[in-house]
């Protein structure tokens, strides 16, 4: 495998070309919109965006915050054919930090958070929206490094209580907040794309879900593909208010399976596809994936940021990936968010430019310039990729972090 090693500014970059194409064998998982982990991810990101917009509007900058440790603790419910109700609320643990003021002007952090939490559940799981217990664990403590040496106030202690936005160091230069990494690869194979589409088909707004009110959103799929045959285990809940009895539940499940085979025929033509739906069901005992809200968050299940889909929307253990939870992180300098988004974008561009497989790994060092990663590893299957063009694409991606922040704040980028 030919290797080129060079330096761009303070970044050491390695470019490997002619690497082997990924093996066709694929294991892939995707969690749908109503899965507790996806709910936690998307809510954390929504809180970050709402807070960022508020501070940009009032102060002209994104102030320091992070909501990426948010967790959801499942409530309790009673489920009956044709009916159901919540009996205990879902607890929303809003864990994180946020600047509560700037220049002496108070920021209504808890008001912003509560409004967004309630609006989120009203949109995503309306049956839960009146059954929420919101717990605020938001601090404004600065990170380690504020050493007291006299009567002066260390700059670091002003990170979450700035006298003005000029106290924000990133206004002058953006430094990485952590030693971490971002990973991206492209392209998806046909099975990975099919998994994404199938889960979205059943968990989001689609012709199927609009026509079948009983279809819940807590969809989860695990798939295995060897290039010729697809084996899929799929969970699709049903909403109890729209299911009159056991026989109707079974008929609905058959409808889901028929739809799975229809889409497989369109997206994986000529290949065998086997599906197992709601594998824990025991119909004769009425042990079914029947829910009041369409999500297991109603009955004890928990959701935590970072346990769900990666930035590209998939969980792919045979592909390069990392464990960073990007949702809810500060969009200005948190490398666990920015480097993953940037690496995925760069991988897509390199794939388009070389017409082959591309992997990108960006590794940061805390306190060093965000746009100058400590290590950059690019791996390409194309044996004749032009190194200078690859370096130009890398440099272009590293120059886009300010614009990337704007996209994240404005909903221009959807994570997972």
């Amino acid at each position: 495998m030919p290797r080129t090693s060079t330096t761009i500014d303070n970044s050491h970059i390695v470019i490997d070309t002619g690497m082997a194409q990924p093996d066709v064998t694929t294991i892939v998982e995707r969690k749908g919109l109503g899965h507790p982990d996806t709910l936690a991810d998307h809510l954390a990101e929504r809180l970050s965006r709402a807070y960022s917009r508020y501070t940009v509007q009032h102060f002209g900058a994104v102030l320091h915050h992070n909501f990426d440790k948010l967790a959801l603790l499942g409530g309790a419910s009673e489920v009956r054919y044709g009916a159901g109700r919540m009996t205990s609320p879902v607890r929303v643990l809003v864990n994180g930090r946020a600047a509560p003021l700037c220049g002496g002007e108070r920021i209504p952090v808890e008001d912003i958070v509560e409004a967004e939490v309630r609006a989120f559940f009203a949109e995503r799981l309306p049956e839960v929206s009146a059954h929420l217990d919101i717990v605020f664990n938001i601090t404004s403590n600065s990170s380690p490094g504020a050493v007291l040496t006299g009567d002066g106030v260390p700059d670091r202690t002003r990170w979450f209580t700035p006298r003005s936005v000029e106290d924000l160091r990133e206004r002058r230069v953006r430094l990485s907040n952590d030693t971490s990494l971002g990973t991206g690869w492209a392209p998806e194979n046909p099975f990975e794309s099919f998994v994404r589409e199938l889960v979205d088909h059943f968990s989001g707004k689609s012709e199927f879900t609009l026509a079948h009110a009983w279809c819940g959103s807590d969809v989860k799929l695990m798939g295995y593909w060897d290039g010729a045959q697809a084996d899929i285990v799929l969970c699709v809940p049903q909403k109890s208010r729209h299911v009159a009895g056991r026989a109707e539940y079974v008929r609905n499940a058959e409808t889901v399976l028929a739809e799975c085979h229809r889409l497989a025929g369109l997206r994986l033509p000529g290949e065998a596809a086997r599906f197992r739906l709601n594998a824990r069901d025991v119909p004769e005992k009425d042990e079914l994936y029947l829910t009041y809200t369409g999500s297991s968050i109603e009955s004890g299940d928990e959701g935590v940021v970072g346990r769900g889909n990666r930035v590209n929307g998939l969980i792919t253990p045979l592909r390069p990936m990392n464990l960073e939870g990007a949702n809810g992180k500060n969009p200005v300098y948190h490398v666990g968010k920015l480097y993953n988004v940037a690496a995925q974008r760069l991988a897509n561009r390199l794939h388009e430019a070389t017409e082959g497989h591309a992997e990108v790994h960006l590794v940061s060092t805390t306190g060093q310039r965000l746009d100058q990663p400590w290590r950059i590893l690019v791996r390409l299957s194309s044996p004749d990729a032009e190194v200078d063009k690859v370096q130009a694409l890398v440099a272009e991606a590293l120059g886009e972090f300010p614009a990337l922040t704007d996209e994240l704040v404005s909903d221009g980028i959807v994570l997972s």
Side-chain angles (χ1 to χ4, degrees), residues 95-317:
N95 308 313
R97 291 183 289 175
L101 52 84
C102 181
E105 182 178 337
R106 176 181 171 272
I107 300 168
V109 178
E110 291 192 0
D111 293 343
I112 294 170
V113 167
E114 181 168 1
E116 291 299 324
V117 169
R118 296 195 181 282
F120 174 81
F121 277 98
E123 296 169 11
R124 191 67 64 87
L125 290 176
E127 297 90 347
V128 172
S129 60
H131 304 277
L132 297 171
D133 177 13
I134 305 173
V135 181
F136 298 97
N137 299 310
I138 304 172
T139 74
S140 56
N141 302 325
S142 63
S143 300
V147 180
L148 300 175
T149 58
D151 295 332
V153 177
D155 287 344
R156 189 176 292 256
T157 62
R158 296 195 176 99
W159 281 11
F160 285 87
T161 55
R163 295 163 297 185
S164 73
V165 294
E166 299 311 314
D167 274 341
L168 304 178
R169 183 173 56 185
E170 62 270 22
R171 300 273 288 181
R172 297 181 292 278
V173 58
R174 298 190 184 204
L175 304 180
S176 299
N177 78 305
D178 195 6
T179 300
S180 188
L181 75 159
T183 300
W185 53 268
E188 293 177 359
N189 66 36
F191 185 63
E192 289 160 338
S193 298
F194 173 65
V195 165
R196 180 195 307 279
E197 180 180 353
L198 193 64
V199 172
D200 292 350
H201 188 67
F202 291 124
S203 77
K205 286 187 178 180
S206 66
E207 290 185 5
F208 185 89
T209 56
L210 291 174
H212 301 92
W214 47 261
C215 188
S217 60
D218 189 357
V219 177
K220 181 178 176 180
L221 187 155
M222 180 71 75
Y224 183 96
W225 186 59
D226 62 7
Q229 178 168 300
D231 284 311
I232 292 171
V233 178
L234 179 67
C235 292
V236 178
Q238 296 182 30
K239 291 188 175 184
S240 58
R241 288 177 300 136
H242 303 287
V243 180
R246 181 195 302 173
E248 187 170 329
Y249 176 94
V250 172
R251 286 195 300 272
N252 292 342
E254 291 171 350
T255 300
V256 171
L257 285 171
E259 186 71 355
C260 288
H261 285 288
R262 184 186 73 82
L263 288 175
L266 294 173
R267 300 293 181 254
L268 302 172
E271 297 188 15
R274 297 188 300 197
F275 295 89
R276 293 182 64 196
L277 176 65
N278 299 349
R280 279 181 18 181
D281 280 1
V282 186
E284 61 271 20
K285 293 184 178 181
D286 293 304
E287 294 180 6
L288 308 169
Y289 196 11
L290 190 66
T291 66
Y292 171 57
T293 66
S295 173
S296 61
I297 196 69
E298 73 180 42
S299 53
D301 219 348
E302 299 88 15
V304 180
V305 172
R307 288 176 49 91
N309 308 316
R310 303 296 90 197
V311 163
N312 67 354
L314 301 173
I315 302 168
T316 51

Side-chain angles (χ1 to χ4, degrees), residues 350-373:
L350 290 168
H351 160 63
E352 292 172 1
T354 66
E355 299 183 346
H357 180 76
E359 291 179 11
V360 176
H361 306 269
L362 305 176
V363 187
S364 68
T365 298
T366 185
Q368 303 304 302
R369 283 185 56 146
L370 182 72
D371 61 355
Q372 296 178 8

Side-chain angles (χ1 to χ4, degrees), residues 4-58:
T4 301
S5 180
T6 188
T7 300
I8 300 178
D9 294 324
N10 292 317
S11 298
H12 184 75
I13 179 171
V14 171
I15 301 171
D16 291 335
T17 58
M19 65 172 285
Q21 289 277 1
D23 187 82
V24 70
T25 302
T26 301
I27 298 174
V28 59
E29 179 182 6
R30 178 163 169 79
K31 298 177 179 180
L33 292 177
H35 189 285
D37 290 331
T38 307
L39 292 171
D41 277 338
H42 289 185
L43 177 56
E45 185 63 8
R46 179 164 177 154
L47 296 183
S48 173
R49 287 175 173 170
Y51 179 86
S52 297
R53 288 171 182 157
Y54 182 94
T55 62
V56 168
Q57 180 180 354
H58 287 79

